[in-house]
Amino acid sequence: MAEEQLTGGPDADALARLSGYVHLMAENTASDTERRGCLLAKGAAELAQRDPTVAGRSAETMTALLTLLRTEISAAQRHGDIDSAADPERLAALLLTVVRGIEAVGKAGLDPETLRNIADTALAVLPMPGGQKRAATGRSPAREN
């Protein structure tokens, strides 16, 4: 799913790709009324400490997700949508943790609106150039000329 959303492309669209991915993960979790959750997360939580193969594959998957997120964050920085002084590795780790956290708390029963609000808030904390603040709806404020 991440590969479909975080496809690379024009730097001008990178923030939209990031936002789309985070919101899609929140929506997918919100719509999982049976609370099945993510197979990777469930399998890793149950087996990674006991099975080196599962631990290795889980680590590979998380590293790949971090790479996709970091690539999009760097593109958004080049375009000026995210502060270029921010560490893209740390921001990628934050977004990965938020997405995985949304899955966990959704499975635990948090309501869909709360999951959507978590996604909005995570995107709102991405640092903008010049100390501007991003709206908590995930939309960027109008740039001043």
Side-chain angles (χ1 to χ4, degrees), residues 1-10 17-18 68 71-72:
M1 183 175 311
E3 295 87 3
E4 295 167 7
Q5 294 293 311
L6 305 174
T7 59
R17 289 189 299 271
L18 281 168
L68 290 169
T71 298
E72 296 294 359

Side-chain angles (χ1 to χ4, degrees), residues 19 23 116-117 119-121 123-124 134-141:
S19 178
H23 283 115
R116 292 179 189 104
N117 289 339
D120 287 344
T121 302
L123 293 163
R134 200 174 312 276
T137 62
R139 295 180 299 237
S140 297

Side-chain angles (χ1 to χ4, degrees), residues 84-124:
S84 62
D87 183 342
E89 187 71 33
R90 287 182 178 202
L91 293 177
L94 172 66
L95 288 181
L96 178 61
T97 302
V98 167
V99 167
R100 292 298 173 199
I102 287 171
E103 292 173 341
V105 298
K107 187 172 186 272
L110 275 187
D111 65 277
E113 190 59 28
T114 299
L115 301 177
R116 292 179 189 104
N117 289 339
I118 293 168
D120 287 344
T121 302
L123 293 163

Side-chain angles (χ1 to χ4, degrees), residues 2-95:
E3 295 87 3
E4 295 167 7
Q5 294 293 311
L6 305 174
T7 59
D11 289 356
D13 300 331
L15 185 60
R17 289 189 299 271
L18 281 168
S19 178
Y21 173 68
V22 173
H23 283 115
L24 177 65
M25 297 305 291
E27 285 303 320
N28 284 349
T29 302
S31 67
D32 183 9
T33 57
E34 296 176 16
R35 295 190 182 134
R36 292 171 296 181
C38 172
L39 180 61
L40 171 65
K42 289 166 49 176
E46 292 293 322
L47 300 173
Q49 292 184 2
R50 293 178 285 190
D51 186 325
T53 302
V54 172
R57 295 232 173 131
S58 178
E60 287 174 19
T61 300
M62 292 301 140
T63 299
L65 286 169
L66 280 171
T67 299
L68 290 169
L69 290 164
R70 183 181 59 244
T71 298
E72 296 294 359
I73 289 165
S74 294
Q77 287 176 306
R78 286 190 300 272
H79 186 257
D81 290 323
I82 296 176
D83 188 349
S84 62
D87 183 342
E89 187 71 33
R90 287 182 178 202
L91 293 177
L94 172 66
L95 288 181

